[in-house]
Amino acid sequence: MLVLAATGVHTDSTKAIPWSVIGIIMTVICAVAAMELAGGIDHLVHLTEKLLRKHPKHITFLAPVVTYLMALLCGTGHTAYSVIPVIVDVSKQHGVRPSRPLSIAVVASQVAVAASPISAAMIALTTILEPIHVGYLQCLAIIIPTTFIGTLVGAAVAGHMGKELADDPVYKDRMAKGLVRDPGTGNADYKAPKGAVASLVAFLVTLILVVLYATFTSPEVGLVKDPPMGSSPAIMLMMLTCAVVVCLLARKPTSTITTQSTFRSGMSAAISIMGLAWLGNTFVTAYMDTIKSALQGPLQAQPWLLGVFFYLAAPLMFSHAATTAAFMPLMVKLGLPAAALVACYPAVANYYLLPNYPTTVAAIEMDDTGSTRAGKFPLNHPFVIPGTVSIIVTIILGFLLAPLVL
């Protein structure tokens, strides 16, 4: 931004910075951090662990379903960190190559963020598409089913990747050197702390209320003609209220919300998104004519190329919301069909292309069997194929479903 300003580029921070998106990120993070403080996230992980250990043979499908649902509910893919060790242990215990469930579980946690009703990316998408008469509920109706089905197809692909664990030479070598830990048996003595279950219920109820408010006030449904506030401020208000209710139920001081790991990582993301979106919007506005002449023809002739554009842009932007906020307004100005915009949008979840995103790195580091590893080349790792398949299937389904919904 300093370079752009120094070269005479003008910016209007009230328009270039997506303040509503940043506000939603901050308030959602407050609610999630309060739930973490009350033990709600730990309880959610405990329930997940029980499910995976009860059905180990189906872990390649169950693991991504679990991480998908957790990220969908919480609006962040970082919830996968707590499940990764469980996936590794259950896989080792039953002779399953850990890279299979791990690869698609990490992908699912990122794809679900694009579909989450409370994620910053979804709010950014619906805010940007509102002027072309694409509503919040319509986006959810298209993106949630297509991303979920795409994830399941990716899981089917992941289940056939790589050698069986017992035949993997890297695993054999690590076993011989004593580098593979014995799999755990889970925490049988776990007892939910006071307020943990209540905090989880309170968060789920708030999430339902968010969707209900958007439903009742949406122009498509038309039940409330003159709502007291729009969807964005309503989400902020409900999430802050949720944080207060959770702290009251768990009898925790609200001042300790800021000490939680989800709060620190979430606020860091909010600052990053503010800077990236400000830069992207200012640059695009300043050079709109040049960008239009370069992209308008190819994208209008082949709208599916927008999926390729988002697929390649996401690993560089490192944020669903920043990628959406920076580039989706440009695509609207280029006059691309609304169906193509919604169908291609989930490609902003492509964080796994390079093995440098935190959840990807965590999966590689926590898999002590060595099956989840990066090769000599940047794209030689187990996340690429199932992730790319998931995105391709999601986009194809989006192009089929979007015309029926919009």
Side-chain angles (χ1 to χ4, degrees), residues 16 87-88 175 401:
I87 296 173
V88 174
M175 280 290 288
L401 182 59

Side-chain angles (χ1 to χ4, degrees), residues 53-54 88 94 102 114 133 136 145 150-151 211 225 260 280 283 306 308 331 351 358 363 403 405:
R53 292 190 184 281
K54 190 175 180 180
V88 174
H94 295 85
L102 279 178
H133 310 294
Y136 177 74
T151 298
V211 177
K225 299 294 183 182
Q260 304 305 301
F283 181 85
L306 178 57
V308 178
M331 302 309 165
Y351 287 174
V405 176

Side-chain angles (χ1 to χ4, degrees), residues 305-360:
L305 288 174
L306 178 57
V308 178
F309 179 89
F310 284 145
Y311 180 88
L312 297 176
L316 303 178
M317 298 294 284
F318 242 57
S319 165
H320 300 75
T323 307
T324 305
F327 297 115
M328 192 61 79
L330 167 64
M331 302 309 165
V332 172
K333 290 177 182 177
L334 291 178
L336 298 185
L341 296 174
V342 178
C344 294
Y345 153 76
V348 301
N350 179 30
Y351 287 174
Y352 44 79
L353 190 62
L354 300 175
N356 59 351
Y357 195 73
T359 47
T360 305

Side-chain angles (χ1 to χ4, degrees), residues 29-40 194-196 198-200 202-203 206 239-260 263:
I29 288 301
C30 281
V32 173
M35 186 169 63
E36 181 187 12
L37 176 66
K194 186 176 181 180
S199 70
L200 184 57
F203 188 83
T206 304
M239 285 297 161
L240 287 176
T241 304
C242 176
V244 173
V245 170
V246 167
C247 286
L248 290 174
L249 291 173
R251 297 185 180 181
K252 300 286 186 180
T254 54
S255 59
T256 53
I257 288 177
T258 59
T259 64
Q260 304 305 301
F263 185 89

